[in-house]
Every structure is written in C-alpha cells, then in structure tokens.
Amino acid sequence: MHKTKHPIFLLFFSSLLILLSSSQSKAQYNTLWIPDTLSGTNFNLNIKDTFAQIVSKGNQTITGGINGKFWGPTLFIKKGDVVHMNVKNNLNDSTTLHWHGMHLPAVMDGGPHQIIPPGTLWQPYWKVTNNAATYWYHPHLHEMTMDQITKGLGGLIIVRDSIESALALPRKYGVDDIPLVLTDRDFNTSNQFVAVPYGDSMMVNGTLRPEFSIPAQVVRFRILNAAIERSYNLGFSDNRAFLIITSDGGLLNAPVSVTRYLLHAGERIEILVNCVSQSGTSLDLKAYNSTLGNFVAGGEAFVNGPFANALGKKDFNILHLKIGAITGSPITNIPSTLTNNKTLNAADAVVTRKVTISDSAGVKVPTILGPNAFIINHKLFKLDRNEYNVPLNNTEIWEITSTSVFGHPFHIHDVEFNILTVNGVAPAAAQAGWKDVVFVPGKTGTTPSVVKFIAKFDDYADASHPFMFHCHISLHEDEGMMGQFLVTNSSTGVKALQKSEHAFIVYPNPANNKLYFQFNNQEMKAYYVRIINELGKTIIMLPSPELEKGIDVSSIAAGIYLIQLTEFGTKILITQKFIKE
Ligand code: C2O
Ligand code: CU
Ligand code: CU
C-alpha cells in the first residue's frame, strides 16, 4: 500500500512545490502605492473607517483612511502661505490630527487637547513658517495614538520654500521624488491589523513587499519612520553611498554621504541616490537591523511575548528598486551646498530645562504590556498637569537625562531645535540641522545618557492650550511617556472684560451661507467658536477663528443651532442662537 501511494504523494508534493514557487514569484512584489497629493491653501481631509486589500489574497483589512482607503494625501504647502484645514472626523471614535513638526498656535496643533468628536468638522489654520522639508500629520488622541496610527491614519506634508526651490533637486513627485512611509504591521489570520509595537511584515506606503521603478538619474526619497516602535537602519543592498539632504525640519548645509542611516520613530530624512547610467539594474533598500544594539527599538530578538516579531534584530528588505529609463530633464548632478542654517547659540539660552526619562519602577499603567512603562520627570502623563511655563521668545536648552536602559526618540511640539550634544558629543553632520525628534540612547552601565538641544519658543503664546513633548514610540506615549508645556506671554497682559461686557449678535439670522459677528465691546476677541446642533452635538470647531471673514455655514443642514464663543481674555462661554435656512 505504501509503495503504491508513495509516487502519488511525490507527485502531489512536487506539484505543490511548483504551485508554491510560481505563486510566490507572482506574489513576490507589489507595486509601491504613491499617496495622492493635495496642494494650495485650503485642504479637505475626511478621516474615516474603511478597508483596503492590503494582503494580496483573502479578506480586506479594516483600515483608517484620510480621503482614501489607507493613510492620507500628501499635502504640498508653501512657506509664507496661510493654510486652512477642514478636518472632518467620520470615524466612529473621537480623534485628533496633529501637524508634526509645524510651528503653529497650540490651539491649532492637534495634540491630545484638540479632540474632534465623531461627525465634527475641525478648522485650524496657520501661516507656514517652516523650512522646506518633509513633515507629517497623524492622530494624537491620548491612549489611542497607537491604535489609530496602526489603522493607517496619517499623511505626509511637503513644505516648499524659495531656498529649496532654487536648488537643482529632483522634484517630480512619484517619479524622481518619492515618498516612503515606513511601518511594520502584524496581521491576524483573517488579514486584520493587530495593534502591537512590532509587526511581522514590513510595509512602505501601505504596500507589502513593494517594488518601484526609478529612472536612471539622481533620485530623491523622502523617508518617514511612521512605525509604532521600530527604528530602521537604512542602507542599500550594494552598499552604495547615498546623500542625506534634510533632517526633520529643513535642508542640511550640504549633502552628507553615508552608507547607513538609523531612522527612529517620527523622524524624517530626504536622501539622494545616484542612479545615473544604471538603467536595467536593480537594488534593494534594506533595514540592516541585525547590527542594532539590544536597546534600540528593533534591535531586540524577542522570541515570545508581546514584543516577539519576525523582524527583530534581522536585516530585511524595505523596497525593491528597478532602475529604468532616464526621464526628460533629469537631475544628474548633486549640488555641493544646500543652505546656510543659522543654528541657535548655546550662549543665548536663558534657562536649562532638566527633563528626566526613567523606568516607572512599578507605577501601574493602563496597558496589557505590563507595569514597566517609561516615564518623564518621574510621572505618568496627565492631561491636566502642566510641566513648564516657557516665556514667549525664550531660547532654552533642554537637557534630557535618561536612566532608562532603553533608547527613546524624544519629540517636542511647536519648535524645531538644534542638537547640542549626545552624551557630550556634538552631533554628526546629518543631525546638525533642524530637528524635532532626537534619539536619547539608553544608559551605559550605570551612567545615564544626557542629550541637550536648544530651541527658541517664539510667535505663539497661549495660557490655555499646551504643547506636548513625548517619546515618539506610540506605545510608550500612550502608556504615559509624555508631558506638556505652556508658552506664556506676561508682557502683553490680556484684557479681561467684565462679564457684563460679554455679548454679541450674529447676522444675518437666519443665515444660509456666511455668519458674521458683532460684538458689544470692540475689545472682545474670540478664542474658540463652536457650532452646536439642537441635540447638543458640536458640528464645527473653529480654533481662534478669523471672524472678520465670517464663518462658513453653507455645509450644515437647515435647523436651529447654537454658536458658542469662548472669549479670549476671560475664557467665558457665551452662546447665541441662529437659524440655518
Ligand atoms: Cu508626531 Cu506629538 O507627535
Ligand atoms: Cu509632533
Ligand atoms: Cu520610549
């Protein structure tokens, strides 16, 4: 019996092998998805629950998308423009949308305090003062950031300015200027995302096993580490050198040639890769994570438990690149200088803020992952506790001392900073420009790590809304590794009006298009305006609205509404009724 069956088994197994290998070569690569683009000064972002065919076979994956099925559009904005965002939350949950790296008023920042309830439109706006570089936007709802980023919510922001535009750099989006959003994800057996710190599958722009054709010229990649936790030690399979041209917040003074670059969660770099005369060849962008230390995210080789994953302490492929034909008007040379950064001078600092990072040593945290959260200033984050009042226009040194054994990418809102030293050593050229994330290494033996950076807190003071600083490992952030500061302005005392002076009328009433305000007292200013429906639900949230331009109510349904205005000086709430025709 065995003898007769044996050949059939062999036949069965060999055809299975053929099947497997042929389906594998077919399924080996997927074409890299390039996010859509939006540009101008007015942006509509619709955050929603949706689904996408991410795994090539079987179920679609339940995702979060902004305008599309996964991730969001790349926003092109120009330094000097005032940009208006119309952020509609069509999720079933509350969320926030944070403009990572942007210098803007705290009330527009989209941190954990600017909660957008389901069904509500949030309309922040700001003048773009950031340098040309690659930034991003993502949810920042406290304790939900990891979940909401895992679903795929986020997007890139590309800032243009006159300095960058004058350089001969690749600038054809999706052709020779290619966005790469790096993440890794875990899928369950029905192809659904599992919110864990480390995934088993590398993804670029939401594409598993991606490949992309690039032209045989100088190509620019804008690389964001959007992972929940993992750092990626980037390099090419032929060990070629590539040139780093930006750090988080702008151009470097000159391109920096490297063969490896370790990019931590939240960080961005733009690189140039010279592919001149290489048509017909291919190469891989890889993560050389086998060389990472045990206390850098992705350098641990956990076999069991919540941190176990298939990519830990391994080298793995990120993106397969095929070099094709040259395009019209290609960039074939790399400029030798880029800009002239006026970095901040330590002698100008008026204060040194001492920040600590440590293990929580048993402080109970709301997590499935155990009691060993990491904490800042020996406390878990609380939404109602302010750590620092930073006087407007202060230049400050932030000195972060870490007794944690693990390394943490530390991020601060509001400002771009210059790293002064990491454990006493000045930063390498690729880190010597503008940054908004700095990697704070784990302690060495019993010696804590010390990172110092310098920043200037200009333009935006707000005694009510704080800015955040936190570890950009979303898991650590959600567990409470975060703090907040206010930028305060004592010199221009805000005039607090008497309560009796608080009154306004809205007109025309009924309205169908634009609503205007008339104040009882001319000195009255709006800090916040909310439009609330008859059920008490906030429909539109307008931080610091430009009331002289009127409020656009054309999109809301006919009915009776309340306009709730928070007065600037006193923060008193005043409401008026209006009828939408
Ligand atoms: Cu990208 Cu507060 O974060
Ligand atoms: Cu941020
Ligand atoms: Cu951390």
Side-chain angles (χ1 to χ4, degrees):
M1 255 182 112
H2 280 123
K3 270 175 190 162
T4 54
K5 275 205 172 168
H6 201 69
I8 300 168
F9 270 121
L10 267 182
L11 195 67
F12 175 73
F13 277 117
S14 53
S15 51
L16 189 71
L17 274 176
I18 292 162
L19 260 175
L20 273 177
S21 60
S22 67
S23 73
Q24 214 171 20
S25 61
K26 255 191 215 153
Q28 202 176 0
Y29 294 119
N30 301 301
T31 302
L32 178 75
W33 175 69
I34 302 292
D36 297 340
T37 65
L38 291 175
S39 57
T41 55
N42 220 304
F43 297 88
N44 296 328
L45 299 174
N46 174 13
I47 310 175
K48 57 184 202 269
D49 295 301
T50 176
F51 40 82
Q53 193 73 52
I54 291 180
V55 180
S56 50
K57 278 192 191 138
N59 292 335
Q60 300 197 61
T61 303
I62 296 168
T63 56
I66 301 179
N67 298 1
K69 288 172 166 290
F70 183 87
W71 197 243
T74 300
L75 311 182
F76 284 84
I77 62 178
K78 275 206 219 104
K79 186 172 184 172
D81 280 356
V82 175
V83 294
H84 290 256
M85 301 292 173
N86 308 303
V87 180
K88 183 74 189 281
N89 177 13
N90 282 319
L91 299 171
N92 292 318
D93 293 313
S94 292
T95 191
T96 81
L97 208 57
H98 166 58
W99 319 103
H100 179 127
M102 292 283 112
H103 178 52
L104 38 58
V107 77
M108 313 289 183
D109 185 49
H113 294 272
Q114 285 87 51
I115 297 171
I116 318 169
T120 299
L121 177 68
W122 177 57
Q123 298 188 293
Y125 63 94
W126 69 92
K127 181 169 178 174
V128 181
T129 58
N130 283 76
N131 298 319
T134 305
Y135 303 84
W136 62 308
Y137 55 96
H138 63 76
H140 213 305
L141 186 65
H142 187 46
E143 296 179 347
M144 291 294 288
T145 298
M146 170 163 143
D147 279 1
Q148 296 193 337
I149 290 182
T150 296
K151 288 167 78 166
L153 295 175
L156 291 173
I157 300 174
I158 293 177
V159 176
R160 305 264 204 226
D161 70 11
S162 56
I163 294 173
E164 188 270 347
S165 297
L167 295 166
L169 292 172
R171 215 170 270 116
K172 288 180 213 123
Y173 182 82
V175 177
D176 63 5
D177 181 355
I178 299 152
L180 303 178
V181 178
L182 312 186
T183 58
D184 43 78
R185 287 290 183 278
D186 217 4
F187 295 88
N188 70 15
T189 50
S190 42
N191 291 351
Q192 303 311 312
F193 289 140
V194 188
V196 287
Y198 296 117
D200 291 334
S201 307
M202 183 67 205
M203 288 207 313
V204 185
N205 304 348
T207 311
L208 295 165
R209 297 179 309 278
E211 78 172 342
F212 200 68
S213 292
I214 51 172
Q217 57 209 51
V218 174
V219 174
R220 178 186 200 163
F221 292 102
R222 298 173 183 264
I223 310 178
L224 160 68
N225 182 340
I228 300 300
E229 176 142 2
R230 194 184 308 275
S231 305
Y232 303 101
N233 189 24
L234 303 170
F236 288 95
S237 49
D238 58 1
N239 283 319
R240 70 176 60 199
F242 53 97
L243 292 133
I244 303 177
I245 59 168
T246 68
S247 53
D248 301 324
L251 290 163
L252 300 172
N253 287 342
V256 175
S257 177
V258 297
T259 55
R260 294 285 184 272
Y261 189 82
L262 180 56
L263 193 71
H264 301 286
E267 287 185 311
R268 294 85 63 206
I269 49 168
E270 296 174 19
I271 64 169
L272 299 179
V273 184
N274 190 347
C275 301
V276 171
S277 309
Q278 294 166 17
S279 183
T281 64
S282 65
L283 76 160
D284 293 296
L285 173 64
K286 298 187 66 169
Y288 290 93
N289 281 10
S290 66
T291 57
L292 295 183
N294 279 332
F295 301 112
V296 174
E300 325 93 314
F302 289 108
V303 195
N304 292 306
F307 295 94
N309 71 94
L311 305 175
K313 215 175 191 61
K314 293 220 171 80
D315 297 342
F316 54 89
N317 256 17
I318 292 176
L319 173 65
H320 183 64
L321 292 163
K322 293 187 298 188
I323 304 174
I326 199 163
T327 64
S329 52
I331 301 293
T332 53
N333 288 305
I334 291 172
S336 56
T337 61
L338 299 167
T339 189
N340 182 14
N341 282 314
K342 289 176 192 63
T343 52
L344 298 166
N345 192 337
D348 294 331
V350 294
V351 67
T352 298
R353 304 254 171 225
K354 308 247 182 189
V355 182
T356 68
I357 290 176
S358 55
D359 302 333
S360 72
V363 174
K364 264 234 176 282
V365 295
T367 168
I368 47 156
L369 296 171
N372 293 314
F374 301 104
I375 49 177
I376 291 177
N377 292 349
H378 307 290
K379 288 166 280 203
L380 283 174
F381 176 69
K382 265 197 183 157
L383 275 159
D384 59 2
R385 188 189 52 239
N386 183 45
E387 288 289 303
Y388 306 118
N389 284 323
V390 173
L392 182 65
N393 293 322
N394 252 22
T395 298
E396 302 194 346
I397 293 172
W398 284 45
E399 181 184 300
I400 305 157
T401 301
S402 177
T403 55
S404 172
V405 73
F406 199 68
H408 301 273
F410 183 94
H411 170 53
I412 182 169
H413 291 207
D414 182 28
V415 293
E416 293 289 331
F417 55 75
N418 303 127
I419 300 172
L420 293 172
T421 52
V422 176
N423 289 335
V425 180
Q431 304 248 329
W434 296 104
K435 294 280 296 162
D436 55 54
V437 180
V438 59
F439 183 69
V440 180
K443 67 178 172 185
T444 319
T446 54
T447 311
S449 295
V450 181
V451 169
K452 291 188 201 181
F453 66 74
I454 184 167
K456 182 160 193 222
F457 299 80
D458 52 9
D459 299 319
Y460 305 116
D462 186 334
S464 302
H465 265 76
F467 290 108
M468 320 308 291
F469 53 93
H470 58 92
C471 175
H472 217 290
I473 293 175
S474 310
L475 172 71
H476 299 177
E477 175 194 335
D478 278 345
E479 286 177 339
M481 193 177 179
M482 179 153 66
Q484 54 195 0
F485 64 97
L486 289 167
V487 177
T488 56
N489 186 358
S490 50
S491 60
T492 64
V494 170
K495 178 147 194 252
L497 306 175
Q498 297 303 306
K499 198 165 179 186
S500 59
E501 296 178 287
H502 288 100
F504 66 91
I505 55 169
V506 287
Y507 67 94
N509 194 2
N512 61 27
N513 195 9
K514 282 217 163 178
L515 201 58
Y516 293 89
F517 286 68
Q518 189 185 317
F519 293 119
N520 205 14
N521 183 322
Q522 286 309 306
E523 291 182 65
M524 194 170 146
K525 277 196 284 181
Y527 179 68
Y528 220 102
V529 167
R530 288 183 168 78
I531 300 181
I532 300 164
N533 74 10
E534 283 177 291
L535 301 172
K537 180 176 176 2
T538 300
I539 303 295
I540 304 182
M541 296 160 63
L542 300 129
S544 185
E546 303 165 290
L547 292 182
E548 62 288 353
K549 292 186 180 165
I551 288 180
D552 185 355
V553 292
S554 59
S555 67
I556 65 178
I560 301 169
Y561 294 88
L562 289 178
I563 293 272
Q564 183 192 69
L565 181 143
T566 308
E567 204 274 323
F568 189 83
T570 52
K571 302 291 183 291
I572 286 172
L573 300 180
I574 323 143
T575 45
Q576 284 293 344
K577 230 177 230 178
F578 91 95
I579 297 168
K580 168 70 200 280
E581 288 185 308

